[in-house]
């Protein structure tokens, strides 16, 4: 992901809500530093598990 604005953040939250309704989880992997900064600023790093790569995300 090269860019994430409020619409992207809203989509992530909606996807999480849908996953939880289906008794499932969502994790983020390989999040670019600039996007990770945005997630931390708005507190979504406390909501989504964040992994350095897809391999480590799949193992958890």
């Amino acid at each position: 992901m090269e860019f994430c604005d409020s619409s992207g953040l809203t989509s992530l939250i909606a996807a999480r809500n849908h996953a939880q309704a289906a008794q499932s989880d969502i994790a983020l992997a390989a999040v670019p530093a600039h996007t990770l900064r945005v997630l931390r600023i708005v507190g979504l790093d406390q909501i989504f598990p964040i992994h350095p790569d897809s391999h480590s995300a799949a193992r958890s």
Side-chain angles (χ1 to χ4, degrees):
M1 170 182 346
E2 294 295 321
F3 177 77
C4 186
D5 62 5
S6 61
S7 296
L9 297 176
T10 300
S11 295
L12 284 173
I13 294 167
R16 179 180 178 268
N17 292 342
H18 286 294
Q20 284 187 326
Q23 298 179 341
S24 189
D25 294 318
I26 290 181
L28 305 178
V31 179
H34 56 279
T35 302
L36 185 55
R37 181 173 181 266
V38 171
L39 294 175
R40 285 186 176 141
I41 289 170
V42 299
L44 290 180
D45 62 324
Q46 302 299 309
I47 303 297
F48 290 98
I50 299 174
H51 301 277
D53 55 51
S54 58
H55 181 71
S56 64
R59 290 185 289 159
S60 63

